[in-house]
């Protein structure tokens, strides 16, 4: 495929827009996080709508503000956070394939609910690969467009030719995002070391995501979560979805770009089926945890995988 | 030293933690951790096999495997005879470090709390060879074997928002080098100008698990 010109010109990169795919798992022992779309489900929906494979590279826009100009006719779809999206000033639907023409300008306002919007383009976005993925990992400038967030003047190309026909997701399937995320979680390895009060608070009182929220993690504010006794932990491996509990009592929820090891008690671990929702945590959002016992989690995951896998080929949580 | 039997614990619904009960650094345990990692990597059914100092986390897709199945596989792997040698033929990498000042903002306070001069802390820290026990946290972060008992000091209660790349720190008995600018809670005593991680280099990582390191004060 040859290109005479780019397909998209970035007019405004917004709060933080990066190229993401399904990430680069399997390298945490080297300190390389999985990265990838923080909300895997909305990312897959956007790709599916434009006829891409579910894990084609797409744009992830946190909190809004992204302005793009299309230089060629193409098909796009937006999914994820509830944002006003307009083309040439006219509102467009989220979660639906939309044809755009050369010269059209897409603008995203701010996220009314949720945090990240996924913008898929038929054919996928071309970006730099590192360890088998084009996912942008900002702290090490890996993947994406020069390893950084998009900025005005960037010109984006397609990764390939548009492959499949456009698709629709049946009414009622699209997840509804609100200002309150409920995450089902199992015990982390150090759960039993937390004080009795802390163990109760974790499942009974809501937390607020603070402004210290990004792709690495979200610092929560709420009742203090502390260990029963002081303990000096040796650094040990850490996974996305884990709630770390440092001595200051304000827990940190590890997200897609989270550190690969940590030295604080791992209190909870969000179940695999709910980890997509971590990507929609915006500053100021309320977060509640619901206890999910080890015996329940596999059934929840299988049910969710069966439902979404039937709609989006090869997708699983 | 004889091998210690580790505990195997569930880590949420899609990971298992293997943990050896040892106080401080234990070279035998470190060998066991890496032997187990090598054994588990022989079957490519796990998402991540992440060795630590005295622990190992193996994560998996909960659609394909159960916690009980993985626990059983870990037990089998622990019993398998595997003799990888981590220490004997490893490289020695010298890391030049500027101690104290802006490069090591915690050096003076740490020295005062343990009743030493900054010069004595520098001498104690650079006077021994360390082993790279694990890589992780962030790309290029090298977790090293134990510091002199006198130098042991807890992390900051609240992590710093930014610790510059190359910073050399202490957390309890551990010492390590930050691979990138990153949030972090270690006591920072110095900094090296070497790039621990550079994605554009043919070998992105300056050191790897098993290497030996010596700090050279600048």
């Amino acid at each position: 495929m040859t290109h005479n010109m780019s397909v998209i010109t970035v007019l405004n990169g917004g709060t933080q827009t990066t190229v993401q795919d399904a990430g680069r798992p399997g390298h945490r022992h080297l300190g390389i996080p999985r990265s990838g779309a923080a909300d895997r489900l909305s990312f897959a929906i956007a790709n599916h709508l434009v006829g891409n494979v579910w894990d084609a590279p797409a744009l992830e826009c946190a909190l809004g503000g992204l302005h793009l100009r299309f230089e060629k006719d193409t098909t796009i779809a937006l999914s994820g956070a509830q944002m006003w999206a307009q083309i040439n000033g006219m509102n467009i639907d989220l979660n639906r394939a939309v044809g755009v023409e050369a010269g059209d300008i897409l603008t995203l306002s701010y996220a009314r609910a949720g945090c990240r919007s996924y913008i898929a383009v038929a054919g996928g976005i071309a970006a730099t690969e590192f360890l088998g993925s084009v996912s942008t990992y900002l702290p090490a400038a890996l993947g994406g467009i020069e390893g950084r967030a998009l900025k005005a003047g960037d010109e984006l190309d397609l990764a390939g030719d548009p492959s499949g026909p456009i698709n629709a997701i049946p009414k009622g399937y699209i997840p509804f995002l609100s200002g309150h995320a409920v995450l089902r979680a199992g015990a982390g390895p150090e759960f039993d070391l937390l004080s009795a009060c802390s163990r109760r608070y974790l499942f009974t009182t809501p937390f607020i995501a603070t402004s210290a929220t990004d792709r690495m993690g979200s610092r929560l504010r709420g009742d203090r979560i502390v260990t029963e006794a002081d303990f000096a932990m040796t650094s040990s491996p850490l996974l996305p979805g884990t709630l770390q509990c440092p001595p200051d009592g304000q827990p940190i929820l590890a997200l897609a770009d989270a550190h690969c090891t940590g030295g604080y008690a791992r209190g909870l671990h969000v179940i695999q089926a709910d980890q997509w929702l971590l990507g929609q945590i915006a500053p100021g959002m309320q977060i509640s945890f619901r206890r999910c016992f080890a015996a329940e989690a596999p059934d929840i995951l299988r049910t969710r995988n069966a439902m979404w896998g039937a709609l989006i080929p090869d997708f699983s949580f | 030293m004889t091998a210690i039997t580790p505990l195997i614990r569930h880590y949420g619904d899609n990971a298992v933690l293997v943990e050896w009960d040892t106080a401080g650094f234990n070279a035998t345990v470190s060998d066991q951790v890496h032997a187990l990692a090598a054994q588990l990597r022989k079957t490519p059914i796990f998402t991540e096999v992440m060795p630590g100092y005295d622990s190992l986390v193996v994560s998996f897709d909960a659609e394909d495997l159960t916690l009980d199945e993985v626990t059983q596989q870990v037990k089998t792997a622990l019993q398998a005879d595997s003799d990888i040698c981590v220490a004997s033929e490893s490289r020695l990498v010298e890391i030049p470090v500027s101690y104290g000042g802006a490069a090591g903002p915690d050096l003076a306070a740490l020295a005062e709390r343990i009743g030493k001069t900054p010069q004595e802390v520098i001498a104690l820290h650079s006077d021994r060879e360390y082993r790279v026990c694990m890589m992780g946290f962030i790309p290029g972060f090298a977790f090293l074997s134990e510091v002199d008992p006198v130098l042991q000091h807890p992390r900051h209660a609240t992590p710093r928002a930014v610790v510059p790349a190359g910073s050399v720190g202490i957390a309890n008995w551990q010492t390590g080098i930050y691979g990138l600018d990153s949030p972090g809670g270690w006591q920072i005593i110095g900094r090296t100008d070497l790039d621990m991680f550079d994605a554009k280099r043919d070998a992105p990582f300056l050191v790897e698990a098993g290497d030996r390191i010596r700090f050279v004060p600048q």
Side-chain angles (χ1 to χ4, degrees):
Chain A
M1 192 167 75
T2 55
H3 286 293
N4 297 321
M5 60 192 291
S6 61
V7 173
I8 296 171
T9 303
V10 178
L11 303 180
N12 187 330
T15 309
Q16 187 184 81
T17 303
T18 54
V19 179
Q20 298 293 341
D21 59 15
R24 47 180 77 82
H27 302 96
R28 294 188 81 78
H29 63 286
L30 295 170
I32 306 284
R34 184 195 62 205
S35 302
D39 168 359
R40 186 180 175 94
L41 177 58
S42 301
F43 161 78
I45 291 171
N47 268 320
H48 181 63
L49 291 170
V50 299
N52 290 345
V53 291
W54 76 269
D55 57 354
L59 301 180
E60 177 185 281
C61 170
L63 300 172
L66 178 69
H67 296 189
L68 302 176
R69 186 176 64 226
F70 294 91
E71 309 297 355
K72 290 186 176 174
D73 297 0
T74 183
T75 306
I76 64 166
L78 277 65
S79 188
Q82 293 289 314
M83 286 186 197
W84 295 117
Q86 299 185 320
I87 288 181
N88 306 330
M90 304 285 281
N91 289 344
I92 58 164
D93 288 340
L94 307 181
N95 299 301
R96 230 178 81 178
V98 176
V100 293
E101 294 175 0
D104 282 354
I105 291 177
L106 171 72
T107 52
L108 294 186
S109 63
Y110 65 98
R112 303 194 306 283
C115 184
R116 294 182 176 86
S117 175
Y118 292 88
I119 303 102
V121 182
I125 303 287
T128 309
E129 194 173 294
F130 180 70
L131 295 176
S133 162
V134 301
S135 283
T136 311
Y137 174 57
L138 297 171
L142 302 180
I145 306 300
E146 298 172 5
R148 57 170 172 77
L150 298 187
K151 60 179 190 332
D154 282 344
E155 301 201 330
L156 308 179
D157 239 316
L158 294 184
D161 290 317
S163 49
I166 65 164
N167 297 297
I169 297 285
K171 241 183 170 166
Y173 278 77
I174 301 296
F176 186 80
L177 299 170
S178 73
H180 184 190
V182 180
L183 301 164
R184 289 169 289 192
E190 286 83 31
F191 179 74
D192 292 337
L193 299 182
L194 300 177
S195 72
C197 284
S198 296
R199 278 177 280 161
R200 194 172 62 241
Y201 291 156
L202 279 176
F203 295 114
T204 52
T205 70
F207 296 85
I208 303 288
T210 68
S211 59
T213 293
D214 59 17
R215 285 181 45 87
M216 292 182 79
S218 180
R219 236 185 241 227
L220 307 184
R221 195 176 64 232
D223 285 324
R224 291 185 75 236
I225 304 300
V226 290
T227 50
E228 184 68 57
D230 282 350
F231 91 121
M233 187 172 138
T234 303
S235 296
S236 181
L238 176 71
L239 293 167
T242 298
L243 187 74
Q244 283 189 289
C245 306
D248 69 3
Q250 300 302 295
I252 302 162
L253 197 47
L255 304 185
D257 285 353
H259 289 157
C260 299
T261 65
Y264 299 123
R266 293 159 291 194
L268 294 179
H269 185 67
V270 175
I271 63 170
Q272 191 179 327
D274 281 358
Q275 286 190 6
W276 65 275
L277 192 49
L278 299 172
Q280 294 300 349
I281 296 175
M285 218 162 128
Q286 218 176 59
I287 311 291
S288 297
F289 297 100
R290 293 277 176 276
R291 185 83 195 250
C292 183
F293 292 94
E296 306 170 78
D299 288 339
I300 296 170
L301 180 65
R302 279 192 203 103
T303 307
R304 300 275 293 161
N305 276 346
M307 181 181 118
W308 282 102
L311 289 171
I312 304 175
D314 302 320
F315 173 78
S316 64
F317 286 91
Chain B
M1 278 174 96
T2 52
I4 301 170
T5 307
L7 283 171
I8 304 173
R9 282 193 280 179
H10 294 174
Y11 182 160
D13 67 328
N14 64 352
V16 162
L17 170 75
V18 188
E19 199 169 44
W20 283 258
D21 185 14
T22 128
F25 178 71
N26 182 320
T28 310
V29 165
S30 182
D31 286 345
Q32 281 182 269
V33 169
H34 286 95
L36 176 61
Q39 197 67 31
L40 291 173
R41 289 206 177 99
K42 285 181 183 170
T43 45
I45 55 173
F46 303 115
T47 314
E48 306 274 358
V49 176
M50 307 151 66
Y53 278 107
D54 55 6
S55 62
L56 181 145
V57 167
V58 52
S59 71
F60 55 91
D61 186 340
E63 171 82 30
D64 304 330
L65 292 165
T66 67
L67 287 164
D68 289 342
E69 284 165 357
V70 174
T71 303
Q72 196 49 53
Q73 298 213 22
V74 168
K75 283 182 180 162
T76 307
L78 282 165
Q79 280 155 11
D81 177 54
S82 66
D83 41 6
I84 57 157
C85 193
V86 184
S88 64
E89 288 177 16
S90 58
R91 298 188 297 164
L92 175 67
V93 182
E94 294 200 331
I95 307 281
V97 176
S98 306
Y99 284 96
D106 297 325
L107 176 68
L110 183 142
E112 196 179 320
R113 280 196 295 270
I114 62 174
K116 298 279 175 197
T117 65
Q119 286 313 314
E120 286 171 322
V121 171
I122 294 168
L124 284 168
H125 189 257
S126 57
D127 190 37
R128 60 168 63 188
E129 238 173 62
Y130 299 94
R131 177 198 284 188
V132 180
C133 295
M134 79 175 166
M135 299 292 294
F137 181 49
I138 44 172
F141 192 106
F143 288 89
L144 310 179
S145 52
E146 69 182 336
V147 293
D148 189 288
V150 171
L151 294 181
Q152 299 188 8
H153 199 285
R155 292 177 183 79
H156 293 289
T158 302
R160 278 195 175 93
V162 181
V163 174
S167 290
V168 175
I170 287 176
N172 303 310
W173 54 263
Q174 304 165 238
T175 185
I177 313 167
Y178 281 75
L180 295 170
D181 292 357
S182 150
W186 290 37
Q187 304 285 339
I188 304 304
I189 59 170
R191 196 190 308 156
T192 178
D193 289 335
L194 295 181
D195 291 326
M196 300 301 291
F197 174 75
D198 181 354
K200 293 184 184 71
R201 265 194 319 238
D202 285 345
F205 300 92
L206 190 68
V207 298
E208 54 188 82
D211 287 346
R212 292 168 300 141
I213 276 186
R214 182 174 280 283
F215 292 113
V216 182
Q218 292 295 285

